[in-house]
Amino acid sequence: MDAIAVRRDEQRPSVIDVPIPEADAGEALVRTLRVGVDGTDQEVLRGGHGEFPEGEDHLILGHEAVGVVEDPNGTRFEEGDVVVPTVRRPPNGTNAYFERGEAHMAPDGEYHERGIVGAHGFMAEYFTSPEEFLVEIPREQAALGFLIEPISITEKALEHAYASRSAFEWTPESAMVLGNGSLGLLTLAMLEHVHPYERTYCLGRRDRPDPTIDAIEALGSTYVDSRETPVNEVHEVHEGMDLIYEATGYARHAFETIEALAPNGVGALLGVPEPWEFEIDGGTLHEEFVLHNKALVGSVNSGVDHFRAASDTLAQLPEEFLDSLVTGVHTLDDLESAFADDDTTIKTAVELSAYEER
Ligand code: NAP
Ligand code: BGC
Ligand code: ZN
């Protein structure tokens, strides 16, 4: 079967031929429909994040998949069920994080991530998965089911951010998303349509006309250009934010968020930057944290419950927004477009097979 992989010493994806995987006991065989591409895939291609499977010279890409159960192989699924796989797998048998369903909280070495860290991904015509890592979704979500994994990332991050504000009465009104990539825009749409924010903002570094700025404004949100208003001045130019969601991977934003938060606010950090040394005023930031009861939470990956919540969330996002977000669904003969990293591309997916309802 065809699969899309990055080979060692290469930085672009190639189509390779690999055998159709065989499902072990407890695993289902899934025919892949579509697999989304995000900033992490670009980082994996550039060699900035992730790891090849042990002893191998290529990594099959893709962690945002949706597929159809081809062979349930004795699992709870039926042929034709539409499913989305979670990303993490245990590296050597199971461990305590996986046993309690919290693989998303496992530290380095206690997980592989399919398509990212140490395990092949889902960008192949078929994949297998243990049934506990497959989440069934409604058939009408087959076309956009590749958005469930990224939405689940935000479900987890918001759960953790809100948990940090649960010891007192917190009634957030303002929220800012840092980053107008696909994760940032999906999150902005969630804050507008699923969460109760009265005012939302989204930070980028682009000139108009730009499709992400159009999407931000169509959502009813305010675009903030970081070249005019750096994050640590946002509270002076606009307002202190009750919630900040960092999705730029720009390391300074982690620290500038502390200043941009309103008293009692919380920042969720999602970006995965590479090493970068710079100066900060640690004393002022430390004081700001303490005297204004601020919190920062880091968050990575997501679990089965976050995937379920993400499917409900996807159903609540407006169709016009989703149409503007997904700028292309490409077959294997147009990988160039699927992995384009330019200003006209927001979210793309690779289509491995077409969905036909049985
Ligand atoms: P992406 O498409 O690369 O988006 C990043 C966006 O941030 C881009 O639109 C970029 O703008 C913008 N940006 C970068 N630096 C900026 C700056 N200084 N000022 C204003 N805007 C800036 O990536 P993504 O898929 O949306 O993901 C966002 C980040 O989250 C990545 O670092 C990714 O690795 C990470 N991530 C983490 C998790 C997790 O579990 N923690 C999950 C998914 C993704 P331009 O396009 O104009 O350069
Ligand atoms: C994926 C997560 C993964 C993270 C770090 C993200 O793009 O969506 O599942 O945990 O990258 O590798
Ligand atoms: Zn991702």
Side-chain angles (χ1 to χ4, degrees):
M1 65 172 182
D2 287 333
I4 300 168
V6 58
R7 299 191 180 103
R8 203 176 288 285
D9 302 324
E10 290 183 2
Q11 300 210 327
R12 297 309 299 161
S14 313
V15 178
I16 62 170
D17 183 40
V18 293
I20 294 178
E22 277 180 35
D24 287 338
E27 293 186 334
L29 176 70
V30 180
R31 177 168 56 85
T32 314
L33 295 171
R34 292 176 173 185
V35 183
V37 176
D38 75 351
T40 301
D41 297 304
Q42 302 292 353
E43 287 158 17
V44 168
L45 283 168
R46 285 198 296 270
H49 179 57
E51 255 169 53
F52 286 90
E54 209 180 319
E56 297 200 37
D57 279 328
H58 71 277
L59 171 74
I60 298 177
L61 295 164
H63 60 277
E64 302 180 348
V66 57
V68 180
V69 173
E70 175 91 3
D71 178 3
N73 191 36
T75 62
R76 68 179 189 281
F77 295 105
E78 283 176 20
E79 190 185 338
D81 285 350
V82 178
V83 291
V84 171
T86 64
V87 175
R88 287 194 171 177
R89 299 290 179 271
N92 308 301
T94 189
N95 63 46
Y97 295 96
F98 284 84
E99 275 165 20
R100 55 174 185 263
E102 292 181 351
H104 57 95
M105 299 305 292
D108 290 352
E110 302 273 358
Y111 65 83
H112 283 156
E113 284 182 348
R114 292 197 61 173
I116 308 174
V117 181
H120 289 304
F122 305 115
M123 261 187 208
E125 288 176 76
Y126 296 89
F127 65 85
T128 56
S129 173
E131 62 176 326
E132 67 266 32
F133 301 125
L134 291 174
V135 178
E136 187 180 352
I137 62 166
R139 288 172 190 222
E140 50 288 7
Q141 290 187 338
L144 290 180
F146 62 89
L147 296 176
I148 287 179
E149 197 275 347
I151 295 173
S152 77
I153 296 294
T154 301
E155 300 287 354
K156 172 185 170 181
L158 294 181
E159 181 183 34
H160 284 243
Y162 292 176
S164 82
R165 308 291 78 190
S166 64
F168 65 101
E169 187 163 328
W170 188 57
T171 47
E173 293 180 358
S174 57
M176 181 171 221
V177 173
L178 310 182
N180 48 342
S182 54
L183 183 64
L185 292 177
L186 268 173
T187 301
L188 188 68
M190 290 166 72
L191 298 177
E192 274 288 334
H193 287 277
V194 186
H195 293 261
Y197 289 90
E198 286 172 25
R199 297 173 304 283
T200 68
Y201 304 80
C202 186
L203 182 105
R205 52 179 178 189
R206 306 250 189 109
D207 294 323
R208 290 184 169 82
D210 176 81
T212 68
I213 301 175
D214 292 345
I216 292 165
E217 292 177 343
L219 282 168
S221 182
T222 303
Y223 173 63
V224 178
D225 187 331
S226 68
R227 298 166 299 180
E228 288 163 13
T229 311
V231 175
N232 57 359
E233 290 175 19
V234 152
H235 58 298
E236 289 158 4
V237 177
H238 297 280
E239 59 179 316
M241 301 293 158
D242 296 315
L243 174 82
I244 294 183
Y245 183 100
E246 177 274 318
T248 54
Y250 184 77
R252 274 185 182 279
H253 287 165
F255 301 92
E256 293 178 343
T257 289
I258 300 166
E259 289 175 84
L261 286 171
N264 303 343
V266 56
L269 306 181
L270 280 290
V272 183
E274 289 176 37
W276 178 24
E277 287 185 23
F278 50 83
E279 284 188 11
I280 53 165
D281 176 354
T284 299
L285 296 179
H286 186 167
E287 185 196 54
E288 192 51 38
F289 249 128
V290 174
L291 294 186
H292 292 120
N293 292 292
K294 295 181 176 180
L296 282 182
V297 297
S299 182
V300 69
N301 198 248
S302 53
V304 163
D305 288 347
H306 304 120
F307 275 65
R308 294 209 174 97
S311 169
D312 293 345
T313 293
L314 178 59
Q316 294 175 64
L317 297 183
E319 218 174 295
E320 317 79 74
F321 165 74
L322 295 168
D323 284 348
S324 65
L325 180 81
V326 179
T327 49
V329 175
H330 306 278
T331 49
L332 293 195
D333 47 25
D334 192 13
L335 286 191
E336 200 62 32
S337 304
F339 287 89
D341 199 6
D342 56 40
D343 287 2
T344 56
T345 304
I346 308 181
K347 184 77 184 173
T348 55
V350 176
E351 182 161 277
L352 281 306
S353 66
Y355 180 59
E356 288 147 26
E357 196 149 355
R358 297 169 203 212

